[in-house]
Amino acid sequence: MASVPSLASTLNRRIADAVSAALPEAGAADPLLRRSDRADFQANGLLALAKKLKGNPRELAGKVVDGLPAGELIGEIEVSGPGFLNITVADRAITETLAARAADDRLGVPFKEQPGTTVIDWAQPNVAKEMHVGHLRSAVIGDAMVKMMEFTGEKVISRHHIGDWGTQFGMLIQYLMEHPHELDHKDETSGEEAMSNLNRLYKAARALFDADAEFKERARRRVVDLQAGDPETLALWQRFVDESKIYFYSVFEKLDMLIRDEDVVGESGYNDMLAETCRLLEESGVAVRSEGALCVFFDDVKGPDGKPVPLIVQKSDGGYGYAATDLSAIRDRVQHLKADTLLYVVDARQSLHFKMVFETARRIGWLSDDVHAVQLAFGTVLGKDGKPFKTREGETVRLVDLLDEAVERATAVVREKAEKVGLSEEEITENGVYVGIGAVKYADLSTSAARDYKFDLDQMVSLNGDTAVYLQYAYARIRSIVRRAEGTDPKAHPELALAPAERALGLHLDQFGETLAEAAASYEPHKLASYLYQLSSHFTTFYDQCPVIKADTPAHVENRLLLCDLTARTLRQGMALLGLRTPERL
């Protein structure tokens, strides 16, 4: 089915046409339409237009009103103040628009007019290391952005730039060569067992590296073998990668995320490009040699001493820095994957690095007006005390422990309500997972990515306030109403007048497509989260003020069931795009 234009977009176009008819000399004019607490919408654009044309804004507004007679779209329109237009949409128009949305599997949400190809770099754990709370935001925000952009029609290619290269692997591989059974295990290894094996091996290797000078030397030579592509060394390196993936995937499964193996392209994936990347940068003059290192300098990046701080692409000893890998990744994503947008979901503390990498890529032409890169920079997860989230011992919090505790707390909340709803033990367990993981994700996604946020499980699993469980409970309540109305189908009745709570809910439902498009285009999933919270709040008011099953007439029952059903579907779709589950009963 074709997309359904929102009431706001239809109204905006009508007013713009009326302005052009009343003032042909004005050309195309933006009415500056927005929601208003004085009416459904207010148009403010006539003031600036009248000033530009040296006319009276109230007279101009009057002419526009004459060209906008009340009818099927507009219920009332009046000139207010110095020339504002206050517009109330007709009840019939609201109901007919909602009926059109309800008839479409996509809820009338349009596809982008000009979809492109976005490569998104998100969820970047390190091989042979545990995932901690610092890995949470890239995964949660990245997964939501993939879902949102794909729903708008964008071609999205995920890239998980895992840390799978570097000097530490010389130490680990050498230790494994000398202790070959350290990674032996049963065929069916859990993620926890895989991590336990890696942790044990890492600690033993590190202890030996620090205590034994001869082992330290052997480990350093092993790094050279790894970089030279020695088959035996690479085979053992691959064991570390495979063991780590068992663990990564178990954590992402807890987060209810699908990470595809073909999307995991770590630092090692660009090794063969590094020398050429450096050659191209040096030959083009974008990078220059400084004290033996290959560097890129910037006029606006200086250290405390006032001297330029360069981006080091290749070290003086011939080793490659992160910049060489990141620039090679840009080449691959633009030239091979044909991306026109590169989106990096990366900690804000790396902003300067990426600013310099992107500028370097622009100078050499790998990024251009047609191909651009964006860092979706995110803040830090804080504890209740407002400081970076740590354990009591000062250790970084393990991600699996945090997720398990969230599920445990959420299951307790679900169990409290279970008897009233009649949930089975299986449903309690399942809903506990949905609520717990949803709580963690939503707390992240309901905050602007650039801001830090406090990790407070008590608040996250609360039934009150801006939480995932509040949204999930609203959805479950609607599903309960629909089940109780068995035998009566949702049906639009445009002839019925709408109560204030029905109008408010209906107008908000109509904004879903525009909100989603804006949130996806600006890489701000919190805008979609905010919309869904407001939708749940509007429904709560509607539920309190407007009887559904016991409405005055059968037509009112059907019309209100349409509002219920469309609200539930919008909540379910919107929450799914944020990676949140919606239990049918809660």
Side-chain angles (χ1 to χ4, degrees), residues 90-100 102 488-499 502-503 548 551-564 566:
D91 288 353
R92 171 176 288 275
I94 295 174
T95 302
E96 288 178 343
T97 297
L98 297 183
T488 305
D489 293 327
K491 185 179 177 183
H493 285 274
E495 73 279 5
L496 294 178
L498 298 176
E502 289 177 292
R503 289 180 55 82
V548 178
D552 293 340
T553 68
H556 279 90
V557 173
E558 291 175 341
N559 207 52
R560 287 177 179 173
L561 277 175
L562 177 79
L563 275 169
C564 288
L566 186 56

Side-chain angles (χ1 to χ4, degrees), residues 119-171:
V119 174
I120 175 171
D121 190 322
W122 62 286
Q124 309 101 347
N126 293 309
V127 166
K129 290 185 180 178
E130 279 198 285
M131 291 177 69
H132 53 77
V133 66
H135 291 109
L136 179 64
R137 300 205 72 184
S138 179
V140 171
I141 296 168
D143 184 54
M145 284 311 312
V146 169
K147 290 179 166 68
M148 289 164 59
M149 289 188 294
E150 285 183 336
F151 194 75
T152 65
E154 184 80 352
K155 179 182 177 183
V156 181
I157 301 171
S158 289
R159 278 295 175 266
H160 306 291
H161 192 88
I162 64 172
D164 65 350
W165 206 247
T167 55
Q168 67 166 337
F169 286 99
M171 177 187 79

Side-chain angles (χ1 to χ4, degrees), residues 128-437:
K129 290 185 180 178
E130 279 198 285
M131 291 177 69
H132 53 77
V133 66
H135 291 109
L136 179 64
R137 300 205 72 184
S138 179
V140 171
I141 296 168
D143 184 54
M145 284 311 312
V146 169
K147 290 179 166 68
M148 289 164 59
M149 289 188 294
E150 285 183 336
F151 194 75
T152 65
E154 184 80 352
K155 179 182 177 183
V156 181
I157 301 171
S158 289
R159 278 295 175 266
H160 306 291
H161 192 88
I162 64 172
D164 65 350
W165 206 247
T167 55
Q168 67 166 337
F169 286 99
M171 177 187 79
L172 292 169
I173 293 167
Q174 187 62 34
Y175 187 84
L176 189 58
M177 294 185 86
E178 296 176 13
H179 303 80
H181 300 296
E182 282 290 325
L183 288 184
D184 289 351
H185 50 68
K186 299 173 185 175
D187 289 340
E188 296 182 8
T189 303
S190 70
E192 285 289 322
E193 288 171 324
M195 196 64 246
S196 177
N197 286 335
L198 290 166
N199 268 343
R200 188 179 64 251
L201 188 144
Y202 186 88
K203 288 176 182 177
R206 170 56 67 180
L208 189 59
F209 186 86
D210 291 340
D212 187 334
E214 291 183 1
F215 175 76
K216 182 182 288 189
E217 181 56 33
R218 293 197 297 276
R220 286 174 171 161
R221 288 201 301 269
R222 187 59 56 188
V223 175
V224 177
D225 293 338
L226 176 63
Q227 292 174 340
D230 172 63
E232 183 183 14
T233 304
L234 281 176
L236 290 173
W237 168 81
Q238 189 65 52
R239 283 193 69 186
F240 280 107
V241 174
D242 293 342
E243 193 84 7
S244 297
K245 282 183 179 179
I246 294 170
Y247 164 68
F248 295 159
Y249 293 166
S250 74
V251 178
F252 290 125
E253 190 174 356
K254 275 182 187 287
L255 280 166
D256 197 18
M257 294 177 189
L258 176 64
I259 303 293
R260 302 187 311 164
D261 207 54
E262 59 265 34
D263 296 336
V264 179
V265 184
E267 295 168 358
S268 64
Y270 305 101
N271 282 344
D272 293 344
M273 301 177 67
L274 301 181
E276 186 180 19
T277 294
C278 291
R279 179 180 62 78
L280 292 170
L281 287 167
E282 190 168 10
E283 287 180 355
S284 66
V286 170
V288 295
R289 292 285 169 183
S290 176
E291 298 179 17
L294 185 63
C295 304
V296 183
F297 289 92
F298 308 87
D299 292 338
D300 59 343
V301 183
K302 293 182 171 63
D305 58 0
K307 293 181 179 179
V309 176
L311 180 71
I312 300 174
V313 185
Q314 188 176 27
K315 303 170 191 174
S316 57
D317 64 3
Y320 298 105
Y322 288 122
T325 305
D326 289 332
L327 287 163
S328 296
I330 288 176
R331 284 178 57 210
D332 178 66
R333 294 167 184 184
V334 173
Q335 296 168 6
H336 177 238
L337 298 180
K338 306 300 182 186
D340 39 53
T341 302
L342 305 179
L343 180 62
Y344 292 77
V345 188
V346 183
D347 193 313
R349 288 170 291 190
Q350 296 187 47
S351 293
L352 178 59
H353 169 78
F354 278 100
K355 177 186 175 184
M356 291 194 291
V357 166
F358 295 162
E359 175 58 25
T360 300
R362 274 191 288 272
R363 288 181 185 180
I364 197 171
W366 299 332
L367 295 177
S368 64
D369 291 342
D370 298 323
V371 184
H372 65 288
V374 181
Q375 182 191 0
L376 202 177
F378 56 81
T380 304
V381 181
L382 306 175
K384 290 183 183 181
D385 58 2
K387 297 177 181 177
F389 201 17
K390 302 280 186 181
T391 64
R392 288 176 184 172
E393 296 76 31
E395 301 278 325
T396 304
V397 179
R398 295 196 326 155
L399 187 49
V400 288
D401 292 342
L402 184 150
L403 298 177
D404 288 344
E405 186 181 355
V407 170
E408 186 180 325
R409 296 272 194 98
T411 302
V413 171
V414 171
R415 194 176 294 282
E416 282 180 27
K417 305 282 183 182
E419 188 174 342
K420 181 180 178 182
V421 185
L423 297 181
S424 67
E425 188 61 32
E426 184 180 352
E427 286 176 307
I428 291 171
T429 301
E430 184 178 77
N431 286 357
V433 173
Y434 292 165
V435 172
I437 299 302

